[in-house]
Amino acid sequence: VPAEPLPPGSRELSVSARLGGGEPVWSDSVVVVVVPEQGKDIAGRTTEEPMAPLVVEVPRTGFGASNVLQQPAAAGGAAEAAAGTDLALAVGVLDYDSGGNLSLSGRARAGSDIRVYLDNDLIGHAPSDADGNWRVTIQREIAPGLYTMRVDEVAGGTVVARLEFPFSRADPQEIESDTLLVVVQPGNSLWRLARRTLGEGVRYTVIYEANRDRIRDPDLIYPGQIFEIPQTN
């Protein structure tokens, strides 16, 4: 437990263990914590509501499924979230690797069946647990292209909630080219791009400064955007 509260900003937390004089063994995952400034949300927008930090567990390598540990919801909604009841259907994280293998996670009413469609083709489903958390891992490769992704929440054989949004899968050869360009994919953030390309998530400002003409807000990047990754020592 830290002696002092974490100040506003982004932090990356991890743990290591050492046995005797051996080399340290690091955790497979790290926890990214985004603490908002007083009177602002995590995107820096002014708000009168008290805002909780965003806390996300991500693989240390930057590849693989992420897990949202804490949502930046207003404090008044904490009890409802903890109870896991009457939760609106939401997609919290969308990850995929270089082979196009997908993993989605989010929130819904407890005990629902979550079904994921790509251009109206059912590609995976999983139940939400007693706390309303769900994760669907797609056991098939998604070819490059632009799709419509749909997430249905089914209870008692009836669709009770639905989300639909565009999903862009770029050609892997375009994601990292010889000119150090990356194509933004759904689920990406500047933090994750920096971790994969520059080795540390906290260096997201390097990508932001190099692409200020393309990024109006560092908290809002969009699928299909192409960013230059500066070569740094």
Side-chain angles (χ1 to χ4, degrees):
V1 178
E4 299 292 337
L6 292 176
S10 300
R11 301 291 186 275
E12 184 176 288
L13 310 179
S14 64
V15 296
S16 67
R18 186 192 299 270
L19 181 61
E23 293 294 321
V25 178
W26 290 91
S27 56
D28 291 334
S29 300
V30 298
V31 174
V32 176
V33 181
V34 182
V35 180
E37 295 182 36
Q38 187 71 26
K40 296 183 178 180
D41 61 18
I42 62 169
R45 295 170 296 212
T46 301
T47 177
E48 296 181 358
E49 296 288 338
M51 298 298 294
L54 171 66
V55 184
V56 183
E57 179 189 14
V58 299
R60 180 176 294 277
T61 61
F63 293 92
S66 302
N67 184 28
V68 178
L69 303 179
Q70 180 173 304
Q71 299 274 13
E80 179 186 26
T85 58
D86 296 330
L87 295 176
L89 176 64
V91 176
V93 175
L94 189 158
D95 286 305
Y96 71 81
D97 59 21
S98 58
N101 300 297
L102 280 166
S103 174
L104 296 88
S105 62
R107 304 276 288 169
R109 297 171 182 84
S112 299
D113 181 27
I114 307 302
R115 302 177 184 178
V116 179
Y117 296 81
L118 208 60
D119 284 351
N120 293 319
D121 179 21
L122 179 65
I123 59 174
H125 68 96
S128 57
D129 63 20
D131 295 322
N133 299 305
W134 59 267
R135 180 183 299 279
V136 176
T137 300
I138 312 304
Q139 302 292 337
R140 55 177 269 193
E141 180 179 344
I142 305 300
L146 180 62
Y147 303 90
T148 296
M149 180 167 286
R150 191 176 88 231
V151 179
D152 284 355
E153 177 184 353
V154 179
T158 302
V159 176
V160 296
R162 171 171 291 170
L163 293 175
E164 193 170 278
F165 51 91
F167 173 70
S168 176
R169 163 78 170 113
D171 190 312
Q173 295 180 352
E174 296 178 348
I175 296 177
E176 292 190 20
S177 67
D178 292 338
T179 54
L180 292 178
L181 299 178
V182 296
V183 178
V184 176
Q185 303 299 317
N188 279 168
S189 66
L190 288 184
W191 182 286
R192 300 198 72 179
L193 291 177
R195 182 165 188 83
R196 293 179 182 180
T197 58
L198 301 177
E200 294 180 290
V202 293
R203 301 181 69 187
Y204 73 92
T205 55
V206 174
I207 301 177
Y208 175 58
E209 291 297 332
N211 298 273
R212 290 182 69 96
D213 58 328
R214 304 180 184 93
I215 305 174
R216 298 179 59 185
D217 183 338
D219 292 302
L220 297 174
I221 60 176
Y222 303 96
Q225 287 184 295
I226 300 176
F227 296 152
E228 177 185 351
I229 306 300
Q231 298 189 44
T232 59
N233 296 324

